């Protein structure tokens, strides 16, 4: 099972597992709303897939299934879009 990533892969901003400020693609690449607005067509810069608002994890489930602590950052995610 993949764990929810704790940050935006582009700007490294913290993202809450119970918040509504994260977007994911079918590969679960994770991006903040601000970075998604800069991606051409709103597509994932890694795979070109459609980005959707990431579902929130219910607070009571965060106790036994917390989000990941492993941060993933894609260097140059914005420069690759030019």
């Amino acid at each position: 099972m993949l764990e929810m990533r704790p940050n935006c892969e582009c700007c490294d901003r913290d993202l809450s597992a119970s918040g509504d400020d994260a977007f994911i693609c079918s590969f679960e690449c994770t991006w903040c709303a601000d970075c998604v607005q800069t991606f051409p067509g709103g597509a994932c810069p890694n795979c070109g897939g459609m980005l959707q608002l990431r579902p929130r994890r219910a607070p009571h489930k965060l106790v036994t299934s917390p989000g990941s602590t492993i941060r993933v950052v894609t260097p140059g995610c914005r420069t690759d879009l030019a």
Side-chain angles (χ1 to χ4, degrees):
M1 174 172 108
L2 293 173
E3 295 180 338
M4 296 175 94
R5 293 184 179 159
N7 65 303
C8 173
E9 290 184 40
C10 190
C11 69
D12 200 27
R13 172 206 225 162
D14 290 338
L15 299 170
S16 169
S18 61
D20 60 356
D21 56 348
F23 286 78
I24 59 171
C25 69
S26 64
F27 291 100
E28 298 193 29
C29 300
T30 305
W31 315 98
C32 72
D34 290 339
C35 287
V36 167
Q37 289 181 12
T38 69
F39 300 155
C44 177
N46 289 341
C47 68
M50 181 184 355
L51 293 169
Q52 299 283 319
L53 190 60
R54 179 173 74 181
R56 284 177 256 162
R57 186 161 293 170
H60 69 281
K61 291 294 186 179
L62 286 170
V63 174
T64 57
S65 298
S68 176
T69 58
I70 299 170
R71 299 180 82 81
V72 175
V73 178
T74 303
C77 71
R78 288 195 178 145
T79 57
D80 292 343
L81 301 175

